[in-house]
Structures are given as structure tokens and as C-alpha cells.
């Protein structure tokens, strides 16, 4: 791009905005099952879930209207090698709110209405999440031009939704005909989603580690996205725990059910160890970036949902092991989640007031139609 070419900006909404729905909804979902304080936080969780639901509705309407009236924006976002990764956020927003509906909806609606609301949210999130997990990486492999140090936490966004589906899907199994083919098919389907997301995430996490080792953090703007690594880690622990519990009544009195339940611990604890290690590394890198005057950006919402999955994952380990250590760590992580949400929310409100978070470039660097 020539120096004399002025970069123009316009107010627009990107898919990354849905990360705020994820970060808000996960607070409600985590609060319900929180050790020691879950029952006392029910009313708080209900209010947060309602807020997340309203946010989802408003953002879906705004993004839909923007797509219809200004289709060039979503086309540009889809072609952008960075912004396109965040198309994984809307599916996870739908799934997070679906989970909250199952956990908290009965305080407002009848059981049948809860399911009538939750099922569509779940399938919208699951189907769009699987499509995103296929299409966005395909575009990355064949269309986007990237540099050797381009790997960042955002690459995980399109492949994590199926892992969230695995967790939320397990919650629907109690509402299906016991021991039916449909119930068992959903169980195994959710394990397939678990594997889809897990393998892809491990590959990407390796690339992120390599990029950090060879090129450093590559600028403060990308530092918050390092927290996204906790997303697939914490969510996979949560999914393993929820699916293991569900297997015990979906496939009762079978060796495979016992194995699935045992996997909750045999898989969950080792992955939890690495998650806590990454938590510390990401915290140190974030503090380093803050000392270097890291400015606020919507990427700060990466502090919320991933930490929330660590809360739910640790809660699952506390449930399966019955160890106080996991219970207290879950409470500590929940406190970190609240702090992260407040920080991101205040930054967003300030950014909305100044208009900075709405400004996006009207064009992207030329991207060849196909890699050489």
C-alpha cells in the first residue's frame, strides 16, 4: 500500500462482537454449578443469563440488518484473514445461551417452553459451528495470504464451537427418550464433535507456541487472544465431564459408559494441568503487555469466555473427584472471570462512547484468490 493512500474507516459490527455474549453467558453457566456458592448465586446467574440472551437477540438483529443493507461489510470481514477467524463467535454465543436456558430457564418458563427455546439455539449453534470449523480453515489454507508468524489465538475461534456443542449437547440427553437410538446417537455425535475440535485445537496451539518461541508476542494487540487457548482446554475438560455423566444414564450398566465416565478424570486432570500452566504464562505475557501500554480492543473479551471454561472444567473435576482442592480453585477462577468481565465491559463502554470500537477499515490488504 502506498504511503499517500489514505486508510478510511467506517462504523461496522464484526462477528467478534458476539464474544461479549459468550463472555457474559459463561458467567451464568459457571455460577450455577459453582462449588460452595452455586445455590446462593442462582438469582445472580438468572439475571446474567437474561442479559446475555438480550445481547444475543440485539446483536443478531443488528448483524442481520447490517448484512442485508451493507453486504460488502460481511464480505470484507469474511475475506479478512484475521476477522474471518471470529466467525466462530456467533455459534458459540448461541450455544452458551442455549446452555443457560437449560440451566436457568425453568425459573421463568415451563419445561416445555424451555426446550422449545433451547433446542433451536443449540442446533443453530451446532450446525453453524461445524460449518465454520470447516469453511474458515479451508479459506485459510487456500485463499488467505499469511506470514510465518501469523498464528494467533484467533485461529482457535472457528474450531472451538463443536467442543461447546459437545458440552451443551450432553445437557439435552436427560430430556430425550431413555436408551433410545436418538439419545445414543446424540451422545456419540457429541463425542465426535469433541474429537473434531480437540485435534484441530491441539494443532493450532502447537503453532501458537512455535510462533511465540520464534517471533514473540508480535505486538500487544494480539496478546489478549493468547487467553483463547484456555477455551478448548477448559471446554474439553467440561465436555469430558458432562459427557461422562450423561453416558451413565444413556448407556447404563455397560463397560463403555464406565469408561466414558472414567475418562472425565483420566483426560480432565492432565489437560487441567496444562491449562493452569498456560493460565500463568498468558497472565505474565498480559502483564508485560500492560506495562508497555497495551491499548483496549475488543480482543480483551478473550479474557472472559476462556477463563469461564476453566471454571466449568474445574467444577466438573471437583464433581468427579470430590476433592476440595478443585472446589476452591473453581471459586478462585470464578473470581478471575468476574474481574475479567468487568474490565472488558468497562473498556467496551468507553470505546462505544468514543466510537473507537466501531471503527473498521473499509478495505483490507489485497488477498490473492488462491495461494501459489
Amino acid at each position: 500500500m502506498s504511503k499517500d493512500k489514505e486508510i478510511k474507516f467506517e462504523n461496522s459490527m464484526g462477528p467478534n462482537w458476539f464474544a461479549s455474549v459468550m463472555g457474559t453467558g459463561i458467567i451464568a453457566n459457571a455460577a450455577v454449578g459453582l462449588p460452595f456458592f452455586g445455590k446462593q448465586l442462582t438469582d445472580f446467574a438468572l439475571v446474567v443469563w437474561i442479559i446475555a440472551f438480550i445481547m444475543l437477540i440485539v446483536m443478531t438483529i443488528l448483524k442481520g440488518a447490517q448484512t442485508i443493507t451493507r453486504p460488502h461489510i460481511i464480505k470484507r470481514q469474511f475475506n479478512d484473514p484475521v476477522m474471518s477467524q471470529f466467525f466462530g463467535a456467533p455459534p458459540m454465543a448461541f450455544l452458551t445461551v442455549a446452555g443457560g436456558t437449560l440451566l436457568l430457564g425453568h425459573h421463568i418458563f415451563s419445561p416445555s417452553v424451555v426446550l422449545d427455546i433451547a433446542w433451536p439455539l443449540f442446533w443453530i449453534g451446532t450446525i453453524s459451528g461445524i460449518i465454520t470449523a470447516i469453511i474458515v480453515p479451508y479459506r485459510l489454507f487456500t485463499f488467505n495470504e499469511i506470514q510465518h508468524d501469523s498464528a494467533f489465538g484467533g485461529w482457535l475461534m472457528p474450531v472451538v464451537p463443536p467442543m461447546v456443542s459437545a458440552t451443551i449437547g450432553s445437557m439435552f440427553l436427560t430430556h430425550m427418550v431413555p436408551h433410545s437410538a436418538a439419545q445414543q446417537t446424540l451422545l456419540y455425535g457429541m463425542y465426535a464433535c469433541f474429537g473434531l475440535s480437540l485435534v484441530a485445537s491441539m494443532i493450532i496451539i502447537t503453532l501458537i507456541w512455535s510462533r511465540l518461541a520464534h517471533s514473540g508476542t508480535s505486538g500487544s494487540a494480539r496478546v489478549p487472544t493468547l487467553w483463547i487457548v484456555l477455551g478448548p482446554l477448559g471446554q474439553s475438560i467440561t465436555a469430558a465431564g458432562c459427557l461422562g455423566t450423561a453416558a451413565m444414564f444413556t448407556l447404563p450398566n455397560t463397560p463403555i459408559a464406565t469408561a466414558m465416565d472414567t475418562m472425565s478424570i483420566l483426560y480432565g486432570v492432565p489437560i487441567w494441568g496444562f491449562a493452569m500452566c498456560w493460565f500463568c504464562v498468558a497472565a505474565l505475557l498480559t502483564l508485560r503487555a500492560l506495562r508497555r501500554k497495551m491499548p483496549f480492543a475488543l480482543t480483551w473479551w478473550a479474557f472472559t469466555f476462556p477463563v469461564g471454561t476453566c471454571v466449568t472444567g474445574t467444577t466438573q473435576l471437583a464433581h468427579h473427584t470430590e476433592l476440595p482442592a478443585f472446589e476452591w480453585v473453581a471459586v478462585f477462577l470464578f473470581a478471575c472471570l468476574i474481574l475479567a468481565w468487568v474490565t472488558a465491559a468497562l473498556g467496551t463502554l468507553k470505546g462505544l462512547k468514543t466510537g473507537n470500537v466501531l471503527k473498521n477499515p473499509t478495505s483490507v490488504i489485497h488477498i490473492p484468490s488462491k495461494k501459489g
Side-chain angles (χ1 to χ4, degrees):
M1 183 179 295
S2 60
K3 293 182 180 179
D4 59 342
K5 185 176 181 180
E6 182 182 359
I7 300 177
K8 297 181 179 180
F9 294 86
E10 67 177 345
N11 290 339
S12 61
M13 176 183 176
N16 53 338
W17 273 88
F18 284 85
S20 63
V21 180
M22 297 161 50
T24 303
I26 196 67
I27 292 178
N29 297 359
V32 174
L34 191 69
F36 305 124
F37 307 105
K39 292 182 179 180
Q40 291 85 346
L41 292 173
T42 299
D43 291 340
F44 167 76
L46 180 62
V47 172
V48 174
W49 166 69
I50 293 174
I51 293 173
F53 208 149
I54 294 174
M55 290 172 63
L56 177 64
I57 294 172
V58 171
M59 288 188 187
T60 301
I61 293 174
L62 290 177
K63 187 60 180 173
Q66 178 182 273
T67 300
I68 293 173
T69 58
R70 295 190 289 172
H72 67 280
I73 293 178
I74 194 169
K75 181 179 179 180
R76 184 180 68 241
Q77 292 170 347
F78 187 61
N79 288 335
D80 190 295
V82 174
M83 184 61 73
S84 61
Q85 305 301 316
F86 290 92
F87 276 96
M92 286 190 278
F94 276 89
L95 290 165
T96 303
V97 174
T101 303
L102 289 178
L103 293 170
L104 297 159
H106 64 277
H107 292 287
I108 301 176
F109 306 110
S110 65
S112 60
V113 173
V114 169
L115 289 176
D116 289 340
I117 296 173
W119 272 116
L121 291 173
F122 168 72
W123 285 117
I124 291 172
T126 297
I127 294 173
S128 61
I130 293 175
I131 292 174
T132 301
I134 296 171
I135 298 300
V136 175
Y138 170 77
R139 298 271 297 181
L140 185 67
F141 301 158
T142 62
F143 184 82
N144 301 138
E145 280 294 331
I146 61 172
Q147 303 300 319
H148 70 280
D149 62 344
S150 295
F152 76 116
W155 282 13
L156 290 164
M157 291 294 289
V159 301
V160 174
M163 188 66 79
V164 183
S165 291
T167 300
I168 307 304
S170 68
M171 299 164 59
F172 283 94
L173 293 171
T174 57
H175 302 284
M176 302 179 71
V177 178
H179 321 317
S180 63
Q183 187 188 48
Q184 294 178 14
T185 299
L186 182 61
L187 175 68
Y188 286 113
M190 294 303 96
Y191 268 107
C193 286
F194 177 94
L196 183 164
S197 182
L198 178 64
V199 175
S201 296
M202 289 305 177
I203 293 172
I204 295 170
I205 291 172
T206 302
L207 294 174
I208 295 172
W209 188 294
S210 176
R211 192 262 294 177
L212 289 172
H214 291 94
S215 304
T217 56
S218 299
S220 61
R222 281 202 268 180
V223 170
T225 65
L226 294 175
W227 290 85
I228 299 177
V229 171
L230 293 175
L233 298 176
Q235 195 66 56
S236 66
I237 299 170
T238 307
C242 291
L243 289 170
T245 300
M248 296 300 288
F249 61 78
T250 304
L251 307 168
N253 303 317
T254 61
I256 187 63
T258 303
M260 289 175 172
D261 190 49
T262 303
M263 177 184 168
S264 303
I265 298 176
L266 295 183
Y267 169 86
V269 175
I271 296 298
W272 183 87
F274 178 69
M276 293 302 99
C277 171
W278 189 268
F279 184 98
C280 295
V281 171
L284 290 172
L285 290 174
T286 301
L287 290 173
R288 179 173 177 266
L290 288 172
R291 286 198 301 269
R292 298 186 176 189
K293 310 298 182 181
M294 177 177 66
F296 175 80
L298 287 177
T299 53
W300 282 35
W301 282 100
F303 295 141
T304 56
F305 185 81
V307 175
T309 67
C310 290
V311 177
T312 57
T314 306
T315 299
Q316 281 297 316
L317 291 179
H319 169 72
H320 284 275
T321 64
E322 299 182 351
L323 290 175
F326 285 120
E327 294 176 332
W328 283 111
V329 173
V331 172
F332 168 75
L333 291 172
F334 185 76
C336 293
L337 171 60
I338 297 298
L339 177 61
W341 187 91
V342 171
T343 302
L346 291 177
T348 301
L349 290 175
K350 183 178 179 180
L352 285 172
K353 186 177 180 179
T354 61
N356 291 334
V357 296
L358 291 172
K359 293 180 180 179
N360 292 291
T362 58
S363 61
V364 296
I365 297 176
H366 174 68
I367 303 173
S369 61
K370 198 172 186 179
K371 285 185 174 179

